[in-house]
Amino acid sequence: MADASGNAPVLSTPATHIFEEDFITDVPQSRRSSAEIQSRYEIERTAAEINHGGWTRIALQFPDNMLPDAPAVFESLSQQLAVKQKPPKNASISLKKGSPYAMDDLDNTTNNSMPQKLFILADTSYGACCVDEIAAEHVDADLVVHYGRACLSPTARLPVIHVFTCQPLQVDRVVESFKSTYSDYNEAIILTADVTYASHLPEISTALKIEGYRSIFTTDIIHNPSSPLPNRTVPQAVQQDPIKLGEWQLFHISDPPVALLLTLSSRVRSIHIFSTASSVESSANVTATMTLRRRYALLTSVSTVPIFGILINTLSVKNYLHIVEHVKSCISVSGKKSYTFVVGKVNAAKVANFSEIGAWVVIGCWESSLIDSKEFWKPVLTPFELELALAGDDQRIWTGKWISDFEEILSETQQQPVNQLISKADKQGSDSMADGHNIGESDSEPESVPPEFDLRTGRYVSHSRPTQVRPNIEKGKNSTFHRQQLVRRTRGEIAKIRDRASPGAEFLQSSRTWKGLGSDFQIEYDHSKDTSNSATVEEGRSGTARGYLNAHSSTRT
């Protein structure tokens, strides 16, 4: 807004103020003592593993809530690294296959004399539970130390040291809650906890055995999301026959992620959760059932969606490229269109920019792929949910089973080819279309194609499979019509790019009112005499944003 003299307001700070003003930023400082930092962040163990592994460029990844402790951890770890130590027996190092730092060869790198350098990774590219290999590679790191809770998804390139930062827990209340939940001392119960509370499990297990419980199995942390209990050990009988996991009840300390809750709901007999926030016990069966119902209802609503968007929410999880290709193949075989987007942290504002997308599929870690939020304009699915949504009505059976791990989905795909996702109705429709319908007579869709209806509204959907190939058009030599021949566009046919149906182009032509610069007037060429709708090219303004110079005057605006 201009002042009384007509000049533009001054929106910039004078250059003379740069060296005069004191800019004070409110940076939160760590309130933990040196002893607390040493214990909570396992400084001694981390330094021993780094020295023993011979890594010289170490990236320290912190979640947002631990950033105030990052400088103190940096200083404490730097001091500890100067002391050469052997790694403890319980070293927790996650190495990818083929890494030059194999566990058997770590002793050969102990005498490394290269200086060690630490880097703090503050703003993660994706979820805080995942290892940010992309940010680590920006500083040419050869090791990542991940702090806080983690999904423990296998990484693709860099070795990882996980520090779960043990959280305080009132063990007495956990034992009392366990006793009030299970009155039968011979009941088969699995005792587990979130990774940040897992260090308390041996003490709790010992206290429960003293109380008289005889059939308690205490889990240990492993790096295997494909385990019957993701990233946890299971009883010996369950290792031989995973179905026997259904005979066990589960007592979980701390609220589990929604993806883990849905995965376990169909595998164990019952789930009881001790909430560390409220220190009370609750049953998770009702919550899991309601969540599954909501997710299944979401799937039926996208069964007729013609366009899917694939959101790649990770570049670090192993085999993410394989699951991307699998998702593309599933969508393509079903006669639908997909567009791929690489994003960082997914939010509603990002995906709302693409209104032509009917549903989204998130490719992330096994925990973050499930986004159960009402803020998103269009449904957001997991790869497992996509397979159910694309299945035919006669194949979509609600069993309560839930799969979140990529490896399990890909292994099932090898046993069941992707082309079996096409329903019987689709096959019958394709066969009927191949029997012969003259293109010139196709003013409407062939009657042999089974109609599809939206299960929510009951309305007929004309283009639920826009890329489905019509055999009588694509036969080539056997067809009386060739691609080079002019064919009248039938009613309801979508736009094409390079002889392929493009739902995105159809949406641009039919639904978008603004299509970019110059779309608000009709462009006329030199050979055209009618210039009533054309626009005259004029010289615009020049200068800086503080005061533009008009083309026909010397005034500033």
Side-chain angles (χ1 to χ4, degrees), residues 434-456:
D435 292 339
H437 288 276
N438 292 335
I439 301 178
E441 300 175 358
S442 59
D443 288 341
S444 61
E445 293 188 2
E447 296 180 357
S448 59
V449 179
E452 294 192 45
F453 298 90
D454 191 327
L455 296 179
R456 297 174 304 167

Side-chain angles (χ1 to χ4, degrees), residues 182-417:
Y182 305 105
S183 57
D184 187 358
Y185 289 87
N186 296 319
E187 190 76 36
I189 305 170
I190 295 177
L191 181 63
T192 185
D194 188 78
V195 292
T196 57
Y197 297 95
S199 60
H200 300 284
L201 289 180
E203 181 183 357
I204 297 174
S205 177
T206 302
L208 292 175
K209 290 179 180 179
I210 295 175
E211 293 290 338
Y213 289 94
R214 303 178 181 86
S215 300
I216 296 179
F217 177 82
T218 305
T219 61
D220 293 324
I221 297 176
I222 58 175
H223 297 254
N224 184 17
S226 300
S227 174
L229 292 177
N231 296 321
R232 299 296 188 275
T233 56
V234 294
Q236 184 65 30
V238 178
Q239 294 180 8
Q240 301 174 358
D241 186 7
I243 299 180
K244 292 186 177 180
L245 185 61
E247 302 174 359
W248 292 76
Q249 298 191 57
L250 184 74
F251 187 85
H252 192 281
I253 301 174
S254 183
D255 297 322
V258 180
L260 177 60
L261 181 62
L262 296 183
T263 300
L264 297 178
S265 62
S266 62
R267 298 184 180 182
V268 297
R269 180 179 171 185
S270 63
I271 304 175
H272 296 271
I273 299 175
F274 178 83
S275 177
T276 53
S278 57
S279 297
V280 295
E281 182 273 335
S282 63
S283 175
N285 295 340
V286 177
T287 303
T289 302
M290 294 179 61
T291 305
L292 281 175
R293 288 178 180 176
R294 185 168 61 252
R295 301 302 298 182
Y296 284 149
L298 195 66
L299 300 186
T300 58
S301 68
V302 302
S303 58
T304 56
V305 167
I307 308 176
F308 285 88
I310 302 176
L311 288 173
I312 300 181
N313 191 35
T314 180
L315 297 177
S316 302
V317 177
K318 185 180 179 181
N319 285 337
Y320 83 93
L321 289 177
H322 295 81
I323 196 66
V324 170
E325 293 301 325
H326 171 69
V327 168
K328 288 182 179 179
S329 179
C330 292
I331 297 175
S332 177
V333 166
S334 300
K336 300 177 183 292
K337 182 67 176 178
S338 66
Y339 296 93
T340 306
F341 303 82
V342 179
V343 298
K345 298 177 181 178
V346 182
N347 56 51
K350 290 181 180 179
V351 299
N353 291 320
F354 306 95
S355 54
E356 56 266 45
I357 303 297
W360 298 91
V361 184
V362 177
I363 307 297
C365 72
W366 68 276
E367 285 189 7
S368 63
S369 294
L370 178 59
I371 300 177
D372 191 19
S373 175
K374 298 180 180 179
E375 298 179 357
F376 290 84
W377 185 33
K378 297 297 178 63
V380 183
L381 312 178
T382 66
F384 172 72
E385 292 175 330
L386 175 70
E387 291 185 351
L388 290 178
L390 296 180
D393 294 337
D394 55 341
Q395 300 175 352
R396 192 183 302 115
I397 302 175
W398 313 131
T399 62
K401 181 181 179 181
W402 194 267
I403 301 176
S404 56
D405 179 58
F406 291 169
E407 297 292 342
E408 189 172 353
I409 296 176
L410 293 175
S411 62
E412 290 190 356
T413 303
Q414 295 177 356
Q415 301 175 2
Q416 180 180 4

Side-chain angles (χ1 to χ4, degrees), residues 506-520:
E506 178 65 24
F507 187 88
L508 179 65
Q509 291 183 359
S510 59
S511 300
R512 287 197 181 275
T513 57
W514 191 81
K515 304 173 183 178
L517 295 176
S519 62
D520 52 347

